[in-house]
Amino acid sequence: MSHPPFSPAQARAARERIGLPPEHVVAAMAQLGVHRSTETLRCWEAGVVTPSEEELFALADALWCPVPVLMDLTPRSLREHRLARQFTAERLARRVGMDLAAYARAENDHRWNGTDRQTLVLADALGLEPEELLRLIGRAGELDGLLREAVEGRWKQYTAQLARLVGARDRAVAQALRTLHQEYARFNERYMGHLVARSDDTRLKEIATERAAWLQGLSDRFLHLLGDDSGR
């Protein structure tokens, strides 16, 4: 497996912030079971070599520094999220209940094929919010489609499927869908009311534009409503 992302400048700055000389850092790493020389640490900070995952985790703990800071990035990929939580691939695969080879393929191919249960465990292990989980596993488009069908039709029948998709409780999803369905219905009522009243085309176009914008942000609105639900 390739070495993880690593910022020599961030590592050096983290060490200087807590005022530890290289000797103390490698001693702290040794207590964590990772024995390296001060010269190795200096090479990391100089950008000559890059630490392995095991070394990165030990260095982060020795420096009391979050792994994403040492990687100098906001986690976006599955591997980056795993590293940020200091999971080895083997440990996360075991936690999720997936064969290591299958998990490794998911990371390398950027394609998640886990079951619903494995997906929920993954989200819990990595501390993923629903929108980040959906983006990570490539199912954001599926959410958009299901929500559109739900607000335009009988929303209750979509509750269980959407709950599984975003990893939320049925009750929370039902409340969010009810609110969205009501909001969508109000757009239609306003449009029909102006149509019956023979309002000018300008007003009808304004309402239609507002509804289109609301539909465009439907997923964000749904996830916001879920975030507001204290029972999640």
Side-chain angles (χ1 to χ4, degrees):
M1 182 173 288
S2 62
H3 285 266
F6 180 73
S7 169
Q10 290 290 355
R12 184 170 55 255
R15 179 174 62 78
E16 292 173 349
R17 276 196 299 272
I18 58 177
L20 283 181
E23 294 78 8
H24 289 186
V25 175
V26 296
M29 292 178 61
Q31 291 180 344
L32 297 169
V34 178
H35 298 268
R36 299 295 182 270
S37 67
T38 55
E39 182 59 29
T40 297
L41 177 59
R42 291 192 179 96
C43 287
W44 293 341
E45 291 187 355
V48 177
V49 294
T50 301
S52 65
E53 291 186 6
E54 178 189 31
E55 292 167 337
L56 175 65
F57 297 160
L59 180 61
D61 287 340
L63 295 174
W64 293 75
C65 180
V67 170
V69 172
L70 295 184
M71 294 194 296
D72 196 21
L73 53 75
T74 299
R76 298 286 293 171
S77 68
L78 178 55
R79 187 189 185 205
E80 289 168 356
H81 277 285
R82 172 176 65 76
L83 292 171
R85 291 282 173 157
Q86 297 190 220
F87 277 102
T88 62
E90 182 178 10
R91 182 174 162 228
L92 183 57
R94 186 166 58 249
R95 171 81 171 266
V96 171
M98 180 178 283
D99 176 74
L100 177 57
Y103 175 81
R105 283 195 299 273
E107 273 198 8
N108 294 332
D109 298 343
H110 301 283
R111 182 180 301 172
W112 179 254
N113 293 315
T115 64
D116 287 342
R117 182 183 179 283
Q118 289 171 334
T119 302
L120 292 178
V121 175
L122 178 75
D124 179 67
L126 299 183
L128 298 172
E129 294 296 327
E131 58 268 35
E132 183 63 24
L133 172 65
L134 292 172
R135 187 199 61 75
L136 198 64
I137 65 177
R139 297 178 71 177
E142 183 178 349
L143 175 63
D144 292 337
L146 286 173
L147 286 174
R148 182 69 177 260
E149 293 176 16
V151 299
E152 292 179 345
R154 298 179 181 275
W155 62 265
K156 291 183 179 179
Q157 69 188 52
Y158 294 90
T159 299
Q161 187 175 359
L162 282 164
R164 289 195 301 271
L165 182 60
V166 300
R169 297 180 181 179
D170 285 8
R171 182 183 64 81
V173 170
Q175 290 178 347
L177 288 180
R178 182 183 296 108
T179 298
L180 293 175
H181 191 268
Q182 291 170 347
E183 291 176 356
Y184 184 72
R186 284 196 288 271
F187 277 116
N188 291 337
E189 289 168 3
R190 287 170 57 203
Y191 188 87
M192 292 305 298
H194 283 282
L195 187 64
V196 171
R198 298 180 183 276
S199 299
D200 60 73
D201 289 344
T202 300
R203 184 56 186 146
L204 291 174
K205 289 179 180 178
E206 287 177 356
I207 297 173
T209 299
E210 290 176 18
R211 183 176 66 176
W214 182 85
L215 286 170
Q216 186 69 29
L218 188 55
S219 293
D220 289 340
R221 174 69 175 142
F222 172 67
L223 294 170
H224 175 74
L225 290 170
L226 284 182
D228 287 344
D229 186 273
S230 60
R232 281 188 63 214

